[in-house]
Amino acid sequence: MDDLQKFIQRNLRRILATGALIFSLLALSLLLNSTPGGSFWIASAAIPAGAKISSSDVKLVKASLSENESHYFKGSEGVVGRIAARRLESGDLIAKSDLAVSTNANATTFLPVGVGVDDLPVDLLVGDLVDIYVIPKDSSTLPAVVARRVAVANIDQKSRALGGSVAVVLATNTSIAAVIVTAESQGRLVVARDSF
């Protein structure tokens, strides 16, 4: 018994340091294993805006998103058959706002419109969501919002470099496309990037 007490007295610091190290490793392993996680869908290849998602375009990955996981498609939720609302790059986690449900009544229409080079953001990119405004030819009529959160499917960079009118292709449904065409005939279209 005396030998044990002498051993503890001589090695007390080493015993405490070893105990603290074991405790910290145990606490660290508990913290790492307690974080929420699951399987989420990512784009396995670049997906253009307006494209229908196929099984070869997406794959499941394990991820830990904590409080943000409600914004993304989980492995149990179907993404195949939906329409990309914006351009997705390979490796992008697929957010719920990135996809739309595909139905025949709400089929995607690719609508080309001419927009003045000064009437769209300089840094507008394919896949951005935009709001469309019209400035009527009739000065007695006020400008108005025509459509909100419309995806940009393509931008003609050559016409953008030359100035004048820039050809922009919008991915939308047929009813919104009809409203935009009517507005284009009544005045000048202005494109503004939608603030998420």
Side-chain angles (χ1 to χ4, degrees), residues 56-156:
S56 63
D57 294 330
V58 293
K59 65 180 178 181
L60 283 173
V61 295
K62 295 247 185 228
S64 177
L65 303 177
S66 63
E67 71 272 358
N68 295 323
E69 67 181 37
S70 63
H71 299 290
Y72 296 93
F73 281 101
K74 296 180 182 173
S76 59
E77 298 173 299
V79 297
V80 175
R82 293 179 182 243
I83 301 296
R86 70 171 184 90
R87 179 176 173 80
L88 297 169
E89 297 297 332
S90 179
D92 284 354
L93 273 170
I94 300 177
K96 293 188 176 176
S97 60
D98 292 339
L99 302 183
V101 177
S102 173
T103 64
N104 291 336
N106 203 17
T108 301
T109 300
F110 294 98
L111 176 68
V113 294
V115 181
V117 72
D118 294 330
D119 293 334
L120 72 155
V122 175
D123 57 348
L124 186 69
L125 299 172
V126 171
D128 286 347
L129 295 177
V130 295
D131 295 337
I132 310 293
Y133 296 84
V134 63
I135 299 175
K137 295 173 188 171
D138 180 11
S139 60
S140 64
T141 308
L142 293 174
V145 177
V146 175
R148 293 200 178 273
R149 296 187 58 82
V150 177
V152 176
N154 194 9
I155 303 169
D156 182 11

Side-chain angles (χ1 to χ4, degrees), residues 7 14 16 26-27 41 54 66 70 74 81 131 134 138 142 165 191:
F7 176 79
R14 289 182 189 149
L16 289 177
L26 180 64
W41 290 102
S54 69
S66 63
S70 63
K74 296 180 182 173
D131 295 337
V134 63
D138 180 11
L142 293 174
S165 182
V191 174

